Amino acid sequence: MNNSTQYSLNLNKLEFIHGDFTSIDYWFDMICESGGFSNENQWMIFKSDGIEIVVDFELTVSGKVTHDPGDYWTAPYTDYDYEDVSVSVTSLHIDDWSVELNSELKSLFEIEIKKHL
């Protein structure tokens, strides 16, 4: 008896649902403290044609902080620039089934994840 399930997904129409990841809103403080960070065990959930896709990944961000203390006429200024944002997909689950990752799937989901950070 074969218990395999066959799926037909349109990966061009992924819908972001939610996730547990370090969003861009928190990068400033982390870059100011140490110039960057790396977080494992991040995940996002997408849906395609009603089928749930869970993507686990590692996020690494580095950046540069620019600070001008200001003077009598100019207010202080602090800003940062991203030097590198790297996403590495570590696992993929479709409808609770583990899927073997190939380079095409990794690349597709790394691009998709970066859109939602």
Side-chain angles (χ1 to χ4, degrees):
M1 181 160 86
N2 187 352
N3 288 334
S4 67
T5 303
Q6 192 171 30
Y7 291 96
S8 177
L9 297 174
N10 184 352
L11 296 178
N12 294 319
K13 293 179 78 176
L14 289 173
E15 176 188 357
F16 173 73
I17 304 301
H18 65 90
D20 185 13
F21 55 92
T22 306
S23 72
I24 195 169
D25 298 334
Y26 299 98
W27 294 3
F28 177 78
D29 291 335
M30 297 172 94
I31 289 173
C32 285
E33 289 175 14
S34 61
F37 64 93
S38 183
N39 287 342
E40 297 177 352
N41 303 319
Q42 310 282 291
W43 55 268
M44 286 187 182
I45 296 177
F46 299 91
K47 279 206 174 180
S48 176
D49 297 331
I51 298 170
E52 184 176 89
I53 302 167
V54 179
V55 184
D56 297 312
F57 62 96
E58 180 178 326
L59 173 65
T60 303
V61 177
S62 64
K64 180 180 174 186
V65 176
T66 305
H67 178 71
D68 181 348
D71 57 25
Y72 183 77
W73 297 277
T74 308
Y77 173 81
T78 302
D79 196 13
Y80 71 107
D81 295 311
Y82 311 117
E83 292 179 338
D84 185 43
V85 177
S86 173
V87 171
S88 178
V89 173
T90 56
S91 69
L92 178 66
H93 294 82
I94 298 177
D95 220 14
D96 291 328
W97 290 90
S98 182
V99 174
E100 185 176 332
L101 285 169
N102 60 34
S103 60
E104 292 173 27
L105 281 173
K106 285 181 87 166
S107 178
L108 178 127
F109 281 104
E110 287 167 358
I111 291 167
E112 196 64 32
I113 287 167
K114 284 183 178 181
K115 291 178 188 176
H116 299 285
L117 291 172

